[in-house]
């Protein structure tokens, strides 16, 4: 697995963060079938023009920004798009004589937004008891919500196809009745992509506003910033600080990849808490997060200069989808 991909799947906290940030969209589509896989996108900040660089306070990075956030939906915009899609899907299903209720949103767990833990954890009080893991109560609420969702009645195969259309996996289509497989339900034609497809066509987005190029570049800038000379230098100072405390890691990415502290829930150990506290102190003492963020900001500014035309076209499409969503919510249909 490449260095840029490993970071997104290492720490339990990071993995849970990704689940949580997508929860609004995923729960909107999560119906017991493959329709859920169509949800995508990340929540970030709004304006068309790149925001000015935020004052970097490593003790609370939730207010930090990155230039590409200007081309992606805010959390509020994404929630609006999800709510509008749900409204349209519910209306479409009603036309087929079916009642569809979207699942409840999953509880928040881990970081508060995309920037909170982007460059590592920073809450020493939490780290002293949980190491690199989110609060135990948050994890428990999340797991209970997942169990509750799993206990919910499954949709019938026919209903799944009405929701998701003919682009569902072959096994889901094969389980449906003959009429539904032929594209109709109770004599009424199923729209292309099902009720979800129809709703997304009406809104003008299949990904809750996530802009493909901006999302791709945002994912690319994080690992690429590690090659910045200033970042490499600060990583060296962090490594020396950690070594002095008895922990040997070449850089913070190597710590992110330490399988002992990530990937799945596990009992908290003294080694984990001591490593987490040392990491927080060393990163704070040499300003790892601030330096990394500055390098990533420069990279993203370069990306924008190189691809401004495509990025602004994506942003205009997003703005159109948000306007469409607002109109749907205003009228209820």
């Amino acid at each position: 697995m490449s260095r840029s991909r490993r970071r997104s799947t290492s720490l339990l906290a990071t993995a849970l963060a990704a689940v949580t940030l997508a929860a609004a969209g995923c729960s909107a589509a999560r119906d017991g079938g493959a329709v859920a896989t169509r949800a995508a996108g990340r929540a970030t900040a709004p304006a068309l023009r790149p925001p000015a660089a935020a004052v970097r306070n490593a003790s609370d990075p939730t207010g930090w920004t990155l230039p590409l956030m200007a081309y992606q939906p805010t959390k509020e915009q994404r929630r609006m798009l999800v709510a509008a899609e749900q409204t349209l899907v519910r209306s479409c299903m009603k036309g087929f004589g079916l009642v569809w209720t979207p699942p409840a949103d999953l509880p928040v767990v881990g970081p508060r937004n995309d920037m909170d833990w982007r460059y590592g954890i920073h809450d020493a009080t939490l780290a002293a008891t949980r190491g690199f893991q989110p609060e135990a109560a948050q994890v428990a609420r999340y797991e209970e919500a997942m169990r509750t969702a799993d206990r919910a009645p499954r949709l019938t195969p026919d209903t799944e196809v009405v929701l998701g259309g003919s682009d569902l996996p072959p096994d889901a289509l094969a389980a449906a009745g003959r009429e539904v497989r032929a594209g109709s339900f109770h004599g009424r034609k199923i729209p292309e992509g099902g009720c979800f497809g129809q709703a997304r066509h009406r809104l003008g987005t299949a990904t809750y506003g996530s802009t493909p190029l901006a999302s791709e570049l945002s994912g690319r800038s994080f690992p690429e910033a590690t090659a910045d000379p200033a970042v490499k230098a600060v990583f060296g100072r962090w490594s020396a600080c950690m070594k002095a405390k008895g922990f040997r890691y070449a850089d913070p990415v190597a710590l992110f990849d330490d399988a002992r502290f990530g990937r799945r829930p596990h009992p908290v150990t003294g080694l984990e808490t001591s490593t987490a506290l040392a990491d927080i102190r060393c990163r704070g003492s040499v300003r790892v997060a601030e330096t990394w963020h500055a390098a990533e900001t420069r990279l993203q500014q370069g990306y924008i200069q190189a691809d401004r035309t495509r990025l602004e076209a994506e942003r205009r499409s997003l703005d159109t989808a948000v306007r469409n969503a607002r109109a749907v919510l205003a009228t209820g249909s």
Side-chain angles (χ1 to χ4, degrees):
M1 185 178 294
S2 70
R3 190 179 180 86
S4 62
R5 294 288 294 172
R6 283 181 293 166
R7 184 258 174 186
S8 65
T9 56
S10 54
L11 292 177
L12 166 70
T14 305
L16 287 175
V19 170
T20 303
L21 290 170
C26 290
S27 64
R30 190 177 189 274
D31 55 38
V35 179
T37 62
R38 295 146 61 93
R42 301 183 68 181
T44 42
L48 176 59
R49 297 178 64 185
V55 175
R56 289 183 286 270
N57 174 8
S59 66
D60 183 16
T62 58
W64 295 10
T65 63
L66 285 168
L68 283 167
M69 287 180 172
Y71 301 94
Q72 297 173 282
T74 66
K75 184 180 292 186
E76 291 71 26
Q77 288 171 335
R78 193 162 178 272
R79 284 174 175 163
M80 181 187 298
L81 289 162
V82 169
E85 181 183 86
Q86 291 175 344
T87 298
L88 292 171
V89 171
R90 191 183 294 111
S91 176
C92 174
M93 295 293 281
K94 185 177 180 180
F96 286 96
L98 298 168
V99 176
W100 178 75
T101 303
D105 288 344
L106 295 171
V108 172
V109 59
R112 289 170 286 174
N113 63 19
D114 275 2
M115 298 304 299
D116 194 6
W117 290 359
R118 188 172 182 88
Y119 307 105
I121 60 173
H122 51 84
D123 186 338
T125 301
L126 178 61
T129 58
R130 294 289 296 165
F132 296 99
Q133 301 184 65
E135 293 179 10
Q138 287 185 339
V139 175
R141 285 193 296 270
Y142 181 86
E143 291 178 343
E144 178 56 33
M146 289 297 292
R147 287 191 290 270
T148 299
D150 288 340
R151 290 193 296 267
R154 300 291 110 182
L155 298 177
T156 67
D158 283 3
T159 301
E160 281 201 12
V161 176
V162 175
L163 271 173
S166 60
D167 56 352
L168 290 175
D171 58 337
L173 290 172
R178 179 179 301 176
E179 181 193 13
V180 170
R181 291 199 305 274
S184 298
F185 182 80
H186 292 177
R188 181 173 179 176
K189 181 176 174 58
I190 299 170
E192 184 177 354
C195 286
F196 270 115
Q198 179 176 272
R200 289 164 180 173
H201 178 75
R202 166 88 177 272
L203 292 173
T205 176
T207 57
Y208 305 110
S210 175
T211 46
L213 178 59
S215 297
E216 175 193 339
L217 295 175
S218 293
R220 205 172 90 192
S221 64
F222 181 91
E224 286 188 0
T226 63
D228 184 277
V231 175
K232 292 174 74 172
V234 82
F235 280 3
R237 293 194 291 274
W238 173 89
S239 180
C241 177
M242 290 292 284
K243 183 177 179 181
K245 295 178 183 297
F247 304 98
R248 293 180 178 272
Y249 293 98
D251 54 40
V253 178
L255 176 55
F256 293 160
D257 287 339
D258 192 330
R260 295 173 297 177
F261 307 140
R263 294 184 174 85
R264 59 175 60 88
H266 57 273
V268 180
T269 64
L271 174 63
E272 181 171 1
T273 56
S274 61
T275 305
L277 288 170
D279 171 43
I280 290 172
R281 290 165 185 155
C282 288
R283 276 189 290 107
S285 68
V286 300
R287 299 174 66 84
V288 166
E290 296 95 325
T291 305
W292 203 340
H293 177 248
E296 194 171 9
T297 297
R298 290 191 295 272
L299 275 171
Q300 290 198 5
Q301 288 169 341
Y303 297 160
I304 290 168
Q305 288 298 320
D307 269 310
R308 188 180 298 277
T309 299
R310 285 199 295 163
L311 287 167
E312 290 187 351
E314 284 192 351
R315 181 69 221 191
R316 287 192 294 272
S317 295
L318 168 60
D319 291 341
T320 298
V322 170
R323 285 195 299 271
N324 292 341
R326 189 175 290 114
V328 167
L329 295 176
T331 61
S333 63

